[in-house]
Amino acid sequence: MDTKQPNLLVVHRRRGLTLIEMAIVVAVIAIVAATAAPSFSAYIDARRLEGAATRLAADVQFARSEAVARNRALRLSFHANAALSCWVVHTGSAAQCSCDIGGAAVCTGSAVEIKTVVLPAGERIGVAANVGSLVFDPLHGTSTPTGTLRLFDGRGRAVHHIVNVMGRVRSCSPGAAMPAWRAC
């Protein structure tokens, strides 16, 4: 009697994914990406707003310290149009410097542009102020007039910089819309 077992038919299965399995994976990835894209866009907009707000607060202090260092009154002026909004640190009167459509500072007369920051409308960040410009006194570093500088994005979030007569900045976010800033 033969005790050997008969040879079983060995079936080798190919490893890999079928076309249907790949289509399901791609569909799941597309669904996850579609749900994550709006929140990622909101995250990027929030970082842009935070960056612009930090830059403006620093530029207020820059204008103040430069006025004292140069022993000359300096002005921080704000401009906006459909294509962009900007601020310019400059000498001279408020009407002597503005931003052109290309974003460059344009100064007339004896005014000299020191620094310009442009926020193109395509970045969905803008600046507005309740004053046309702030003047920093070279002797004391004080600001005339006081003002509220508002940076905002297209989603309704904003950061306010309140500049007091001493030229100091207090920053806040209305309704705590921006977690990195205290609520106004």
Side-chain angles (χ1 to χ4, degrees), residues 28-111:
V28 168
I29 290 172
I31 291 169
V32 169
T35 58
S39 64
F40 186 66
S41 175
Y43 174 79
I44 289 172
D45 288 347
R47 297 298 78 77
R48 282 183 179 147
L49 180 57
E50 282 184 12
T54 301
R55 189 177 331 152
L56 179 55
D59 285 346
V60 170
Q61 293 308 312
F62 169 76
R64 181 179 179 223
S65 64
E66 279 294 302
V68 173
R70 293 173 185 240
N71 196 27
R72 183 171 187 178
L74 289 184
R75 187 174 296 272
L76 178 62
S77 297
F78 304 94
H79 306 280
N81 59 42
L84 57 87
S85 59
C86 72
W87 61 85
V88 182
V89 177
H90 62 93
T91 62
S93 71
Q96 287 183 300
C97 286
S98 64
C99 295
D100 69 5
I101 197 78
V106 177
C107 294
T108 60
S110 62

Side-chain angles (χ1 to χ4, degrees), residues 113-158:
E113 178 254 346
I114 296 168
K115 182 175 185 179
T116 303
V117 175
V118 176
L119 302 171
E123 289 187 11
R124 300 181 303 270
I125 304 293
V127 64
N130 66 346
V131 294
S133 67
L134 300 170
V135 179
F136 294 94
D137 177 67
L139 187 57
H140 305 313
T142 57
S143 171
T144 307
T146 60
T148 299
L149 318 176
R150 181 176 174 260
L151 285 140
F152 54 90
D153 69 3
R155 297 176 187 271
R157 296 175 295 204

